[in-house]
């Protein structure tokens, strides 16, 4: 997609009148879109992907950059102001930097990327220059052997180099995402916090979710938010509720700790034991153009067929918007995740990107 095509994609899609904001059937405004760029990944994290991997999609099934920009430009007109690129691993999608530059030109409030960090040493600078605003980097452990075990392929030293490159590139806010797994990294939470704070990063701990029909969820692996808070308070003393710390205002709840005279934040994302569905503001676009209005359910709406229907400009925008509104109207009240590891969707996390 050329630079000119990027501008055209955004501009020609203007709807004739302001069509009103995107709101679901339970009056939750939708302002945040996560876009998966690929279902491929250079890692195989144990809680995310089956050991044998998944059958990767043929390239022709993926949305093109122009199609992605089209969907974002249409949703921007109805109140979606924040976009996060994810995967699989988004940095394995060819020409990611070009896509970021096209999306950056749309003038969103927030353009962010989630990555495992493996390729950041080479990509952090170019992504920043292309207009990427924020980064979330996944890091489950500071121990190289554990890291290789949980990612099945990963090299901790590369991710640490990627984190340094991201810091040097001047991103405004870098968060470190750690899936907290009982019996795996629950002894490392304070060390991960100290690692993050020492580098000006924001540590966040995520409860493991039973995706993949529960097949990747090991009984006893859930570390509930209450236990995460207790482990942090044992190490750092009482935490105060953080207020509106975060640019991005996602589902994390923040605590502030006083450590060595400084107030430092920790985020906890507790989808299973302390759900935040009441305030859910997001929808997800898969790499093949399926709109998922809930991470925790399998139903989706096919936007790729609309994108490839031959409609153009305002007609295309109107058809996309109609499909999106229909899907969003049916967004469910919440999920059915249980502590025992059932009630989740059949889809794999790697296919939708968290
Ligand atoms: N590959 C990128 C990465 O790892 O950051 C982006 C996609 S990944 C699916 C997005 C986030 O989802 C990561 O922080 C990952 O650790 C998290 N994740 C994957 N599977 C999960 C699960 N079953 N429960 C909770 N979080 C999960
Ligand atoms: Fe890949 Fe991210 Fe899933 Fe790990 S969590 S397998 S890095 S998509």
């Amino acid at each position: 997609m050329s630079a000119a095509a990027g501008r055209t994609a955004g501009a020609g899609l203007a709807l004739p009148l302001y069509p009103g904001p995107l709101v679901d059937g339970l009056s939750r405004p939708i302002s945040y879109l996560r876009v998966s760029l690929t279902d491929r990944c250079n890692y195989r994290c144990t809680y995310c992907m089956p050991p044998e991997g998944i059958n990767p999609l043929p390239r022709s099934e993926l949305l093109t950059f122009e199609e992605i920009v089209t969907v974002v430009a249409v949703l921007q007109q109805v109140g979606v102001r924040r976009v996060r690129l994810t995967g699989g691993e988004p940095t394995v999608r060819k020409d990611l930097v070009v896509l970021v530059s096209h999306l950056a030109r749309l003038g969103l409030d927030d353009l962010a990327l989630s990555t495992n960090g493996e390729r950041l040493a080479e990509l952090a600078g170019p992504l920043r220059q292309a207009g990427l605003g924020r980064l979330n980097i996944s890091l489950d452990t500071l121990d190289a052997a554990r890291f290789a075990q949980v990612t099945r392929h990963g090299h901790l030293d590369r991710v640490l180099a990627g984190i340094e490159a991201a810091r040097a590139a001047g991103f405004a806010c870098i968060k470190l995402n750690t899936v907290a797994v009982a019996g795996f990294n629950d002894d490392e939470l304070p060390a991960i916090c100290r690692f993050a704070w020492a580098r000006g990063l924001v540590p966040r701990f995520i409860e493991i979710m039973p995706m993949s029909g529960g097949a990747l969820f090991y009984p006893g692996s859930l570390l509930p938010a209450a236990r995460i808070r207790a482990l942090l308070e044992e190490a750092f003393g009482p935490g105060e509720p953080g207020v509106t710390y975060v640019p991005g205002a996602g589902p994390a709840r923040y605590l502030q700790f006083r450590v060595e005279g400084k107030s430092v934040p920790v985020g906890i994302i507790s989808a299973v034991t302390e759900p935040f569905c009441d305030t859910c503001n997001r929808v997800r676009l898969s790499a093949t153009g399926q709109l998922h209005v809930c991470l925790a359910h399998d139903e989706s709406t096919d936007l790729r067929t609309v994108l490839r229907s031959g409609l153009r400009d305002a007609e295309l925008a109107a058809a996309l918007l109609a499909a999106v509104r229909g899907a969003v109207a049916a967004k469910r009240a919440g999920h059915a995740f249980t502590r025992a590891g059932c009630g989740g969707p059949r889809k794999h996390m790697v296919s939708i990107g968290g």
Side-chain angles (χ1 to χ4, degrees), residues 39-49 86-90 115-117 138 140 150-151 179 349-351 353:
D39 63 343
R40 292 172 198 241
C41 187
N42 38 13
Y43 287 2
R44 295 256 183 293
C45 300
T46 51
Y47 44 71
C48 180
M49 220 205 269
T86 179
E89 173 49 39
T115 175
N116 60 26
S138 297
D140 291 342
V150 72
T151 58
V179 179
M349 189 66 109
V350 69
S351 71

